[in-house]
Amino acid sequence: MTFFEDCPPQVLKTHGELLLALSHLFAQGGENLSQTLSPLVKSCSAIAEHYNTSRLLQANQILAQYSETNDGEYLVMCYEFNRLFVGPNAPVAPPYESVYLSSDHLVMGEQTLAVRKFYQRENLQTIGQRHEPDDFISTELEFVAYLLSRIIETQAAKNSAKIQLYKTLYQEFWQQHLGLWLKTFAHTVSQSAKHPLFSALSEILVALSTLNAPLNTKEAPYETYAPQISRRSSSRCCL
Amino acid sequence: MGDWEWPLILFTVLGQIAIGIILMLWWLARNRNLNIQLFKRGVHVSGGLLLIALLASLFHLGHPEAAYRALAHLGSSWLSREILFFLLTFLAWIYLFRLSRQQTSSHTLGSGASIITTAETAAGGQPTSNLSLGLGITSLLGLLGIASSAMIYVLPRVPAWNNGGPVLFFLLTTGLLGALCTLVLGGNLLQTAQKKLLLQVSLGCTIFSLILSVIYGSMLSASMEGAASLNYHLSSPLFWVRALVSWLAPLLLLVIILKSPDLGKKNLILTVTLLVGLGEILGRALFYLSATGIQITALF
Amino acid sequence: MSKQLGFLHNSEKCVGCRGCEIACKNEYQIEATPQWRKVFQLHEDDFSLPTRMFFSMACNHCAHPECLRVCPVKAYTKREDGIVIHDPNRCIGCRLCTMACPYDRPQINPAKKKVEKCNLCYQRIDQGEKPACVTACIPGALELVEINDSLDQKTGILKTLPGLPSPKITSPSIRFIGPKQGKQIRRD
Amino acid sequence: MKLTRRKFLGGAAAVAASSMTLFNFNLLTNSPSASAADQPSEAIKTFRNVCPRNCYDTCGMITYVEDGVLKKVEGDPKHGYTNGKLCLKGYSYPRRVYSPDRIKYPMKQSPRGSGNWTRISWDEAMDTIAKKILDLKKRYGSTLPICLDKYSGNFGIVHYGIEGTMSSIGYTTRAVGTPCWPAGIDAQTYDFGTLYSNDPEDMVNAKYIILWGQNAAWTAIHSLPFINEARERGAKLVVIDPILTSTASKADLYIQINPSTDGALALGMARYIIDNNWVDWEYARANSLGFDEWVEYVKKSITLDWASEKTGVPKDIIMEIAREYATAKPASMWVGYGMQRHTNGGQNVRIIDALGVMTGNVGKSGGGVNYGHLETWGFNYNAMVNAPPKGSKGFIGPDGKEGDRAINMNNFAHDVSAQSDPPVKMLWLACRNPGAQDPDTNAIEKMFSSMEFVVTVDSFFNKTVEMSDIVLPATTHFEDWDVMASYWHYWVGINQRAIDPLYECKSDVEIAIELSEKMNALEPGSCTFPTSGTPEEWLAKEFNPGIHQMLGINDYKELIDGPRKAKMPPASWSDGNFRTPSKKIEIHSELAEKNGLPALPIWVDEMKTPEKYPIRFMTPHPQYALHSQFQNLDWMMTTNPEPKVEIHPNLAAKYGITEGTMVKIYNDLGSITVKAHLTRTTSTNVIVAYEAWYKNSNFNVNYTLKAIPSDMGKQATGNDGLAFHDNFVMIEKA
């Protein structure tokens, strides 16, 4: 309930920048880390300083270290990025919401369509609609960043009806979508990341989902399971 | 057994201790001999245990937030009945708690006043029947709750459970741990006769439990699944630990205590109680672990 | 109860293709682990000659459903036509039914922490269609039938098969046409 | 590509124009309709698809699509053979389409086999490939260093555009042949002129059915209802197979024959039929050449004792099935592909053909020696036929004609490596996974590593993709327009594009178009593949008046209403017009003789079991997979999580193997280690593991398999088949 009273535009902007930086990082892929890492480091520092969280600072230090690395190291990170998120091998952490939240752990699941409907509420659609799942992490992050930017604008315009609208949209989207799977996704990444950059990235994703809590009325429940987790657990009882 | 049975082990054992204590208090109160301090202590401890037990029970549910719905099927579900009786027991306990509070407010008994006194004096004119009635009703509801708990496991699918075993074992646990815990709680507040009585109850329960287990075990081999349960027990080191800590050691120690002039040292009683408690938890774990259900035995 | 719907499984025709199992998953897009319907291979040694014999089993919509009896939240209901329906909205995931069913057919879905099972495609039946598994059975080994005395009096109708729990526990609404073995010319 | 870009720019422009916000979108854009949010969900749409896998059944499917998402698949009730039902693999299709494991974008690996992959654009992929092709062409003076290996991953007619891709860049090296069934094809070609089987739905009319090395329950399950109906009408079902399969378990009579001795059993039967004069002399003499010659051979050389000794089948059983087969008219035989995967496999099929001829069961409804057919495959193969670019240099064949250089698909590793003038430098793989499916996996690995460049088009990260430089993401059949015929039943169905291609997946024709554009940009005239046409237009070009007439349609669009059955008589060869040189059944085949084979269907000894490796390792088709497809999907991995080798308890006891023991199976070529399953469904000298590619597993039955050719296949398919089942090994506890 304390969303926009407590969050000055500057803080919202910082959040939005982090969301966008992450969105770009996933959208541009492992091949463009040399361009997408620095903005992430920058926005991450701003957030870490604002909240003064040491874990985030530490993670960001690793990010910063690798954002100034050589081409060889960038290539190694690119390979790891693809192994984790892209393929052509079965990716370890496919960056799509429905893989984590739908009961069948496939892409284009119910969440994908629900997310599509969310975008439509703002008369938006994904550029790759029907080709790329709408619940691709970058698209969801961009949408959240967009909502924050709308909040800032409407706050500036003192349009309280609109502020309320975007605030609600933001909270709903976070609680029904991004907030539900971001931690599981991050956990999956950290479980099998072979390069410190991605452990750090996972840490930032966790921080992001936690830091967004003050922006929300309450933290989203994380009672969801990654496919790896639920596939492992048995459905049989003791008998 | 998966992780999800731990809440059940905790719930059943703690719940049974709680009700066992109240049962013993009731028994002690029957000839107006209950020390008021012990009453209070007993009510508080049993209430705490009951609360932990009830909370623990929530965690074996996939959706604890919807636990209230479990009351919906009193017609045939023993789980519904269990919940009902435990809730009623808890309500009755609240009444006991109120009684214990009233006494505090009207009569401040210093620790030095731990003279053996009758409940009537302690209650300062309040009718002891209230107290006795409260303990009685709570015990009765609690016992019904425990019996219902046990009936949940009386499943035609599980031959090892599909008999009087669960009910008897659950009730024996109640008696045994109830008596022992009351002894521990009571300490010097208990009269020697009361102590003796509680020790005898403990010994009786232990002997009965041992005999019953032998009979029960021999019955099990009648069905394939029962035999599997029995085999599981006999080949599990856990079972032999349980046999040691909850039958052999208590038997030995209880006899020693009963024979000693001052009915044993406090520490010895505490030791027996802890051993039996551990044994009962092991026993409960084995109860779940060993259960073999009738099932499809075809390949794959 | 006016009638009791159930399955008739013809083990003479069933080749263990598992089409029924997967057709069920396809119909409800059930995730990988829970198997509402499952094909079992009978023990080779239960027959005079080694063989690959199968039966397919989902919820048996028992005449005396243990799941329904033990469920504390009334998640189970038995319809007029005998179908035992599990309502996941009521389910609180206590798993008692999974302990009580001798056929292990209600199963916990670890992600949803609720139990799921076959509801005999009652929505399809209400529209005059057959259950998805029956529709999918290529050799015609699985049928939707009314379980009654006249069925039981037919020759060759069995109430159980080797490897199955005694039908006395729950009176399952499934009948079998037993596997028949042909002649085998073997080299061992 | 163009479409995406336009859409992207359009979207960006719309955002810029809107006064809504100054926010810079990258992935989102304004939706075309302002009230999009209020639009209700689209109604469920249905599409017709056909399963394009290498399978007898080629099922008609109905695909349910909601909001552009494939929801479920069902069998097409208008398909008279598959009758509205799918197999377990068919029902798992949504898991395949939407598996997060799918290959999504063109990717490049450097170096090959390192696991170091980078994502590249289609443009870069095509640029790299085109430059490599042009470079090789320049260096070697021709495109012959480029080798195509395509086979059965998708049998859709438009997928022959893969061959067309190669044709359009010049003369190339081609893996020719078929690993599956060539020996039997040649056997029927020598005997009848081609392979041509009765309509499988016609099996209901049979009074006696022999499934010879055929496990329909796993490989052609939609035939079972027809067999069952015949049985309900009184027919007896006999299954002859070294393995007691699911099908065999249902038979009235199961005969566990010594592997590779099927011809001996048929000859024993023939001898008993002759002795009892149950021969249909009239049919045989009127319709065939060399029949009497063969009868003389049987009388002179074959005894029942010999046949019994050879096959392990008791004499009285040979007599029983001979009598029943010859006297139950009509009697149908179905020859499976497993039984011809031997060094004498084709010859055994020829003997079985002769058995059908001598009893007059050929050309009869309810009869036939049924193996397969290609009668309904008369499409234009428009995407396949492209003239080579002007000035292309080809390989001068033995006939003096210039053309592609053919190498043996069934000895691919060896033949690729053996080329020197010019050597093979680049592989293009599509609809094919030699890493999992070819014999001698070690040799395949070695050959791949000797290549300069490997391009693979696929949907999942299998062993072949692992060994590639560039992988291109393939569409599934739900994302394509196509038409599919069957090599077993007589139905033909259209395959609609039910959903848009996911990610950056492209069909083989779309890939060819991209490549053609790129090559011509780099070197005008270097590729002749047309660069226009929508997928549906490409499909339309496959139809011709012959197909229209056969299916009774005027336009391919009529197939959208339902698949059509070819207008053909239910019994093959019922007109008696055989397609041999003599127009008769050639029991005596000069063509066979010319090809160095016996002219007559006489006994040819099976491959001897080597002393060092006394155990036969059979690797038949799996239940949960089709070759290396399907088993990797989650449903299959749950139902059938790991491979097992079936071992007879007596054999297992000899090596101290118990249920669940890990067993090492090995010979000179290589080894695999797999869990034991003890069962008496196999025999004491045969172990069985089913070929498949399991997700995240290196299990592959082909490590011990030598590329031993079967006896036939050259005549009709270009190369001899593979004796997959003459695979001898030793076992030990791992």
Side-chain angles (χ1 to χ4, degrees):
Chain A
M1 289 300 124
T2 55
F3 184 89
F4 55 98
E5 290 88 345
D6 288 3
C7 276
Q10 197 45 47
V11 178
L12 293 181
K13 194 161 169 280
T14 320
H15 270 275
E17 273 161 8
L18 177 62
L19 292 166
L20 270 185
L22 279 168
S23 169
H24 288 178
L25 183 122
F26 281 102
Q28 299 297 309
E31 294 73 15
N32 294 303
L33 286 171
S34 57
Q35 279 106 63
T36 53
L37 263 183
S38 304
L40 179 62
V41 171
K42 213 177 123 201
S43 59
C44 215
S45 309
I47 286 270
E49 274 159 29
H50 177 78
Y51 291 103
N52 197 17
T53 46
S54 59
R55 277 178 74 179
L56 191 54
L57 275 170
Q58 274 167 15
N60 200 36
Q61 268 166 17
I62 298 170
L63 242 55
Q65 178 195 333
Y66 286 106
S67 71
E68 285 161 13
T69 190
N70 55 38
D71 287 355
E73 191 65 32
Y74 266 121
L75 212 49
V76 171
M77 297 191 299
C78 170
Y79 299 146
E80 177 67 355
F81 183 97
N82 288 333
R83 188 186 70 83
L84 289 169
F85 309 117
V86 183
N89 54 295
V92 176
Y96 308 98
E97 181 183 328
S98 69
V99 172
Y100 299 86
L101 299 188
S102 74
S103 60
D104 43 18
H105 307 300
L106 301 176
V107 301
M108 290 287 184
E110 48 188 302
Q111 288 77 12
T112 317
L113 295 180
V115 164
R116 187 184 294 173
K117 290 226 165 72
F118 248 106
Y119 301 159
Q120 281 170 358
R121 279 161 73 172
E122 275 298 284
N123 287 329
L124 292 169
Q125 67 174 37
T126 62
I127 284 167
Q129 187 160 25
R130 295 193 174 207
H131 297 281
E132 291 283 345
D134 307 64
D135 54 357
F136 175 44
I137 188 166
S138 293
T139 319
E140 290 199 0
L141 288 166
E142 182 172 303
F143 183 64
V144 177
Y146 156 78
L147 292 175
L148 284 183
S149 81
R150 298 294 286 150
I151 291 166
I152 298 168
E153 281 171 38
T154 47
Q155 273 180 339
K158 296 202 164 47
N159 182 341
S160 60
K162 285 257 167 159
I163 296 171
Q164 189 57 38
L165 171 80
Y166 287 110
K167 184 191 134 190
T168 312
L169 258 180
Y170 176 89
Q171 287 172 346
E172 277 180 28
F173 191 80
W174 193 268
Q175 281 166 16
Q176 292 169 23
H177 295 287
L178 205 48
L180 284 181
W181 69 285
L182 213 49
K183 262 193 186 169
T184 318
F185 173 70
H187 180 73
T188 315
V189 175
S190 74
Q191 286 285 296
S192 54
K194 290 179 185 164
H195 190 283
L197 177 83
F198 294 94
S199 311
L201 183 65
S202 143
E203 192 65 47
I204 286 162
L205 291 171
V206 173
L208 178 71
S209 55
T210 319
L211 289 179
N212 265 274
L215 301 185
N216 282 297
T217 44
K218 71 176 169 86
E219 197 176 350
Y222 298 111
E223 48 178 37
T224 47
Y225 283 76
Q228 289 81 358
I229 296 167
S230 78
R231 275 173 201 166
R232 211 185 300 132
S233 52
S234 150
S235 64
R236 287 183 59 94
C237 81
C238 60
L239 296 174
Chain B
M1 193 179 86
D3 295 339
W4 72 284
E5 275 97 350
W6 283 110
L8 289 179
I9 293 172
L10 218 61
F11 166 67
T12 53
V13 175
L14 294 185
Q16 283 156 28
I17 294 174
I19 288 155
I21 292 172
I22 292 177
L23 183 69
M24 292 304 141
L25 292 181
W26 180 42
W27 199 17
L28 294 178
R30 109 209 100 107
N31 34 16
R32 303 183 171 188
N33 264 349
L34 178 60
N35 178 291
I36 197 63
Q37 273 303 103
L38 178 57
F39 169 71
K40 280 192 201 168
R41 216 182 269 175
V43 167
H44 292 170
V45 169
S46 64
L49 289 175
L50 202 56
L51 203 63
I52 297 172
L54 282 171
L55 284 177
S57 77
L58 292 179
F59 288 96
H60 94 278
L61 297 178
H63 292 265
E65 76 281 359
Y68 66 92
R69 287 212 289 265
L71 279 167
H73 203 195
L74 293 168
S76 77
S77 171
W78 282 105
L79 182 53
S80 287
R81 294 168 189 168
E82 177 200 44
I83 303 292
L84 176 72
F85 283 125
F86 267 92
L87 288 179
L88 289 176
T89 307
F90 195 69
L91 285 180
W93 177 85
I94 290 173
Y95 174 67
L96 289 180
F97 183 67
R98 252 190 57 206
L99 283 182
S100 76
R101 299 290 291 181
Q102 278 170 1
Q103 273 142 22
T104 317
S105 55
S106 55
H107 287 263
T108 314
L109 294 175
S111 57
S114 61
I115 327 141
I116 296 157
T117 171
T118 64
E120 191 155 20
T121 350
Q126 271 193 24
T128 34
S129 53
N130 266 3
L131 201 147
S132 198
L133 187 72
L135 284 169
I137 289 174
T138 316
S139 303
L140 204 67
L141 289 170
L143 287 175
L144 285 171
I146 289 167
S148 304
S149 282
M151 285 306 289
I152 290 173
Y153 300 100
V154 181
L155 297 170
R157 190 225 177 151
V158 190
W161 292 348
N162 194 24
N163 47 49
V167 176
L168 285 171
F169 284 122
F170 278 28
L171 290 177
L172 279 173
T173 305
T174 312
L176 179 58
L177 280 173
L180 286 171
C181 289
T182 311
L183 271 168
V184 173
L185 288 177
N188 295 333
L189 301 175
L190 284 165
Q191 299 165 357
T192 315
Q194 288 176 322
K195 269 192 190 174
K196 196 164 179 178
L197 194 76
L198 290 171
L199 283 167
Q200 280 164 346
V201 169
S202 309
L203 187 63
C205 285
T206 310
I207 293 170
F208 193 35
S209 161
L210 184 58
I211 295 170
L212 196 67
S213 295
V214 174
I215 299 171
Y216 175 74
S218 59
M219 260 169 45
L220 277 186
S221 38
S223 75
M224 197 178 76
E225 292 78 13
S229 299
L230 183 65
N231 272 337
Y232 186 93
H233 271 107
L234 296 181
S235 60
S236 163
L238 280 185
F239 171 75
W240 296 106
V241 174
R242 165 180 164 65
L244 189 73
V245 301
S246 65
W247 289 319
L248 287 180
L251 267 182
L252 201 70
L253 293 173
L254 284 171
V255 171
I256 291 172
I257 297 168
L258 271 168
K259 286 216 166 146
S260 67
D262 57 347
L263 290 180
K265 294 264 161 26
K266 242 180 151 178
N267 285 349
L268 211 52
I269 292 176
L270 188 66
T271 310
V272 178
T273 311
L274 289 176
L275 284 178
V276 172
L278 176 68
E280 287 300 322
I281 286 174
L282 281 179
R284 210 48 57 85
L286 281 163
F287 175 78
Y288 290 112
L289 277 170
S290 70
T292 309
I294 296 172
Q295 58 188 335
I296 301 170
T297 54
L299 213 59
F300 302 124
Chain C
M1 202 79 49
S2 54
K3 65 173 178 177
Q4 174 66 59
L5 290 178
F7 292 105
L8 175 63
H9 183 264
N10 187 330
S11 294
E12 281 169 24
K13 285 185 177 168
C14 176
V15 290
C17 78
R18 293 171 197 267
C20 50
E21 201 177 295
I22 306 288
C24 175
K25 283 183 177 286
N26 177 56
E27 179 77 12
Y28 297 101
Q29 289 296 311
I30 315 165
E31 61 188 288
T33 349
Q35 290 174 300
W36 292 6
R37 175 168 284 284
K38 190 173 166 173
V39 172
F40 295 84
Q41 187 170 357
L42 291 162
H43 274 294
E44 214 168 290
D45 303 336
D46 286 336
F47 299 88
S48 51
L49 292 165
T51 191
R52 298 182 197 234
M53 290 291 181
F54 307 87
F55 67 87
S56 164
M57 188 170 273
C59 170
N60 289 319
H61 304 278
C62 304
H64 307 297
E66 275 285 284
C67 53
L68 186 149
R69 180 181 72 85
V70 302
C71 178
V73 295
K74 279 192 181 164
Y76 291 89
T77 45
K78 196 163 172 67
R79 304 207 314 178
E80 278 296 297
D81 55 6
I83 300 177
V84 176
I85 292 177
H86 175 263
D87 177 2
N89 292 325
R90 296 192 66 86
C91 181
I92 57 171
C94 78
R95 307 174 203 225
L96 252 186
C97 50
T98 67
M99 287 163 74
C101 173
Y103 305 97
D104 277 325
R105 288 303 97 197
Q107 295 176 352
I108 192 84
N109 178 327
K112 295 183 182 143
K113 297 181 183 174
K114 286 185 176 191
V115 160
E116 295 174 357
K117 75 166 192 84
C118 150
N119 290 321
L120 223 161
C121 289
Y122 70 91
Q123 315 91 319
R124 290 172 65 109
I125 285 181
D126 289 346
Q127 284 169 27
E129 288 176 70
K130 287 177 181 171
C133 52
V134 171
T135 308
C137 180
I138 296 168
L142 200 58
E143 281 179 72
L144 177 73
V145 290
E146 209 174 300
I147 305 287
N148 52 31
D149 288 345
S150 73
L151 177 71
D152 284 335
Q153 278 151 18
K154 281 188 194 154
T155 45
I157 299 289
L158 304 173
K159 288 195 169 171
T160 188
L161 286 178
L164 277 177
S166 160
K168 283 186 186 138
I169 303 175
T170 61
S171 310
S173 305
I174 185 167
R175 296 295 181 269
F176 302 94
I177 295 174
K180 183 175 73 181
Q181 281 203 297
K183 190 163 149 186
Q184 291 188 8
I185 307 304
R186 305 182 53 82
R187 298 198 291 116
D188 57 353
Chain D
M1 237 9 218
K2 268 182 185 162
L3 187 72
T4 323
R5 204 171 294 141
R6 202 160 43 224
K7 219 167 153 189
F8 175 81
L9 290 172
V15 171
S18 122
S19 57
M20 242 174 70
T21 174
L22 296 171
F23 188 82
N24 264 332
F25 286 106
N26 289 292
L27 300 154
L28 289 159
T29 180
N30 272 10
S31 36
S33 153
S35 59
D38 308 325
Q39 280 172 1
S41 291
E42 288 172 31
I44 292 182
K45 287 187 196 156
T46 58
F47 295 89
R48 284 213 138 73
N49 289 96
V50 183
C51 180
R53 307 273 88 93
N54 181 357
C55 171
Y56 285 95
D57 287 3
T58 313
C59 295
M61 314 177 83
I62 303 280
T63 304
Y64 292 79
V65 175
E66 189 181 10
D67 291 326
V69 177
L70 192 166
K71 287 292 177 186
K72 65 169 180 175
V73 290
E74 278 184 357
D76 185 346
K78 286 193 178 170
H79 195 291
Y81 169 77
T82 56
N83 262 317
K85 297 168 194 219
L86 301 175
C87 75
L88 82 161
K89 289 163 282 192
Y91 286 119
S92 73
Y93 267 123
R95 323 292 292 190
R96 185 180 160 95
V97 175
Y98 294 132
S99 167
D101 300 350
R102 249 183 97 172
I103 297 176
K104 303 171 184 74
Y105 311 104
M107 306 282 292
K108 186 174 80 182
Q109 184 176 219
S110 42
R112 189 164 57 230
S114 63
N116 296 337
W117 291 90
T118 45
R119 179 175 163 186
I120 52 176
S121 65
W122 271 101
D123 190 62
E124 184 185 342
M126 288 302 140
D127 193 63
T128 313
I129 296 168
K131 280 180 178 151
K132 182 48 107 180
I133 292 171
L134 294 172
D135 167 56
L136 286 169
K137 190 170 155 184
K138 202 167 148 197
R139 274 157 58 200
Y140 293 95
S142 77
T143 45
L144 288 170
I146 299 154
C147 175
L148 171 70
D149 190 5
K150 178 246 180 179
Y151 193 49
S152 71
N154 185 321
F155 266 151
I157 303 298
V158 182
H159 276 75
Y160 286 89
I162 296 162
E163 283 88 338
T165 315
M166 291 294 119
S167 304
S168 62
I169 61 168
Y171 297 109
T172 54
T173 303
R174 304 284 184 92
V176 169
T178 141
C180 307
W181 56 335
I185 291 179
D186 267 17
Q188 294 223 315
T189 303
Y190 293 133
D191 291 331
F192 307 119
T194 189
L195 68 163
Y196 179 15
S197 50
N198 280 23
D199 178 0
E201 296 162 49
D202 171 63
M203 267 194 288
V204 297
N205 298 314
K207 295 211 170 101
Y208 197 79
I209 299 174
I210 299 179
L211 302 186
W212 212 311
Q214 216 302 324
N215 182 11
W218 283 18
T219 61
I221 187 158
H222 293 83
S223 284
L224 289 183
F226 303 106
I227 295 174
N228 282 344
E229 193 180 333
R231 294 177 80 186
E232 276 160 24
R233 295 185 191 179
K236 179 170 173 176
L237 176 67
V238 179
V239 175
I240 301 166
D241 202 311
I243 302 163
L244 176 56
T245 61
S246 276
T247 314
S249 296
K250 303 291 154 193
D252 296 298
L253 174 65
Y254 162 63
I255 296 172
Q256 190 167 50
I257 192 171
N258 276 329
S260 201
T261 66
D262 308 86
L265 180 60
L267 283 169
M269 289 167 72
R271 172 70 204 242
Y272 192 65
I273 289 167
I274 294 166
D275 289 352
N276 287 283
N277 201 22
W278 291 319
V279 179
D280 189 338
W281 294 102
E282 204 182 324
Y283 180 83
R285 283 183 174 145
N287 288 285
S288 71
L289 284 184
F291 182 67
D292 286 290
E293 190 189 345
W294 180 65
V295 168
E296 280 314 303
Y297 158 78
V298 174
K299 283 211 254 191
K300 208 179 86 195
S301 311
I302 303 298
T303 66
L304 283 168
D305 288 315
W306 170 83
S308 172
E309 168 72 29
K310 201 86 206 164
T311 59
V313 181
K315 238 167 77 175
D316 58 325
I317 295 298
I318 302 180
M319 282 155 33
E320 180 187 322
I321 57 172
R323 185 187 70 248
E324 288 173 351
Y325 175 70
T327 56
K329 289 186 186 289
S332 168
M333 285 200 287
W334 181 356
V335 179
Y337 304 141
M339 66 142 288
Q340 50 93 54
R341 290 179 188 143
H342 292 287
T343 54
N344 62 349
Q347 191 66 14
N348 285 339
V349 176
R350 286 203 68 203
I351 298 168
I352 293 169
D353 286 348
L355 195 61
V357 175
M358 81 186 295
T359 51
N361 274 311
V362 172
K364 303 274 192 312
S365 169
V369 184
N370 302 307
Y371 186 74
H373 77 89
L374 297 170
E375 299 298 298
T376 51
W377 291 66
F379 295 92
N380 292 341
Y381 299 90
N382 163 72
M384 185 164 91
V385 283
N386 295 298
K390 280 202 185 84
S392 293
K393 292 246 169 19
F395 185 74
I396 311 296
D399 53 0
K401 275 190 197 159
E402 190 175 31
D404 292 326
R405 175 169 63 178
I407 58 161
N408 187 355
M409 179 179 282
N410 294 331
N411 199 2
F412 189 58
H414 173 267
D415 276 22
V416 167
S417 310
Q419 303 307 315
S420 58
D421 187 24
V424 173
K425 288 288 166 190
M426 168 179 166
L427 296 178
W428 182 290
L429 300 122
C431 300
R432 187 99 180 100
N433 178 9
Q437 299 306 123
D438 270 26
D440 197 353
T441 313
N442 288 318
I444 284 282
E445 288 169 4
K446 216 173 121 196
M447 180 275 283
F448 265 74
S449 65
S450 74
M451 287 295 113
E452 258 185 48
F453 195 61
V454 180
V455 179
T456 300
V457 186
D458 215 317
S459 294
F460 290 97
F461 188 68
N462 55 37
K463 175 101 189 177
T464 303
V465 177
E466 260 183 85
M467 301 187 293
S468 307
D469 292 280
I470 283 187
V471 62
L472 303 174
T475 45
T476 63
H477 68 283
F478 300 101
E479 298 153 312
D480 265 346
W481 278 94
D482 213 330
V483 57
M484 281 84 168
S486 160
Y487 51 74
W488 182 235
H489 60 67
Y490 287 7
W491 293 79
V492 169
I494 204 164
N495 181 77
Q496 292 179 279
R497 178 173 269 192
I499 52 170
D500 290 337
L502 277 168
Y503 316 105
E504 291 184 3
C505 295
K506 285 188 193 297
S507 75
D508 289 305
V509 164
E510 288 169 315
I511 292 170
I513 292 173
E514 294 261 328
L515 183 67
S516 189
E517 279 175 348
K518 182 55 79 177
M519 285 187 65
N520 285 312
L522 289 168
E523 189 184 305
S526 63
C527 183
T528 62
F529 204 93
T531 51
S532 64
T534 65
E536 190 175 350
E537 283 163 4
W538 277 90
L539 161 81
K541 286 179 187 162
E542 294 296 354
F543 286 80
N544 55 45
I547 286 284
H548 285 163
Q549 199 193 348
M550 185 183 77
L551 300 178
I553 54 173
N554 294 310
D555 189 279
Y556 77 92
K557 286 203 168 88
E558 287 178 50
L559 290 176
I560 293 174
D561 298 330
R564 292 295 186 109
K565 189 173 176 176
K567 291 179 174 170
M568 302 198 301
S572 57
W573 307 123
S574 52
D575 56 1
N577 293 329
F578 296 96
R579 295 182 209 162
T580 52
S582 64
K583 309 286 179 218
K584 292 199 167 191
I585 301 167
E586 297 191 349
I587 299 287
H588 180 111
S589 166
E590 284 183 9
L591 193 57
E593 200 167 22
K594 202 185 93 194
N595 289 343
L597 296 161
L600 285 177
I602 59 170
W603 173 248
V604 170
D605 258 328
E606 75 277 26
M607 185 175 159
K608 288 282 158 288
T609 308
E611 242 170 65
K612 222 171 129 191
Y613 300 110
I615 301 162
R616 189 186 290 267
F617 181 26
M618 296 186 85
T619 55
H621 282 195
Q623 181 180 17
Y624 301 95
L626 209 158
H627 297 312
S628 59
Q629 294 166 318
F630 293 105
Q631 177 58 60
N632 61 311
L633 304 179
D634 60 351
W635 279 353
M636 306 304 188
M637 290 302 289
T638 312
T639 318
N640 178 41
E642 58 178 349
K644 284 181 184 164
V645 58
E646 297 176 350
I647 307 180
H648 194 284
N650 297 358
L651 181 66
K654 256 198 226 171
Y655 296 93
I657 292 161
T658 52
E659 181 72 31
T661 311
M662 292 307 283
V663 181
K664 185 179 169 192
I665 302 166
Y666 64 95
N667 61 17
D668 291 340
L669 244 54
S671 72
I672 62 166
T673 301
V674 60
K675 203 178 252 183
H677 172 51
L678 271 47
T679 170
R680 289 169 64 213
T681 52
T682 182
S683 51
T684 49
N685 58 352
V686 176
I687 59 170
V688 186
Y690 301 94
E691 46 117 359
W693 167 57
Y694 288 73
K695 185 180 172 181
N696 298 333
S697 156
N698 202 28
F699 171 77
N700 179 345
V701 295
N702 290 319
Y703 275 102
T704 63
L705 184 75
K706 237 179 227 136
I708 301 169
S710 58
D711 53 347
M712 298 183 192
K714 270 201 186 83
Q715 178 62 36
T717 71
N719 276 304
D720 286 335
L722 255 171
F724 276 106
H725 295 327
D726 292 329
N727 178 12
F728 294 96
V729 296
M730 189 59 176
I731 57 172
E732 63 185 35
K733 263 166 91 169

